[in-house]
Amino acid sequence: VITTDTGDRPALLSVWIPLNDATLENGCMHVLPREFDTGFLHSTSHDHMNPATEIQRGVSTKLRFPLHGARALPANAGSLLAW
């Protein structure tokens, strides 16, 4: 996850190397572009890094972002993904 400290400079960087091909069918990584993340520019809070909030314990959750905003990142085994 990339988040910012002050301005647009990254403060965190995530890197992932899949050991097997990661496809839409078998489960690949998904990311959320910052235009869909209303908390991205609030450097004092990292709540936006939690994708959902539990509404009723064990019963329901509420997503913190619009589902249509998530982007799939299919990748071949051994490739490097960074965001």
Side-chain angles (χ1 to χ4, degrees):
V1 174
I2 295 177
T3 189
T4 60
D5 50 11
T6 56
D8 270 349
R9 295 186 328 223
L12 297 172
L13 174 67
S14 291
V15 176
W16 183 60
I17 301 172
L19 301 178
N20 299 303
D21 288 347
T23 66
L24 293 173
E25 291 78 28
N26 69 2
C28 63
M29 190 67 68
H30 284 74
V31 295
L32 186 67
R34 71 175 163 177
E35 61 263 21
F36 294 102
D37 184 354
T38 58
F40 184 82
L41 294 176
H42 301 283
S43 62
T44 58
S45 174
H46 293 288
D47 286 344
H48 70 279
M49 293 170 64
N50 295 322
T53 304
E54 190 172 51
I55 302 299
Q56 186 177 1
R57 188 167 181 84
V59 177
S60 63
T61 57
K62 178 181 178 188
L63 290 176
R64 293 180 182 256
F65 62 90
L67 193 55
H68 73 275
R71 301 292 183 255
L73 298 177
N76 294 326
S79 58
L80 175 78
L81 283 77
W83 61 93

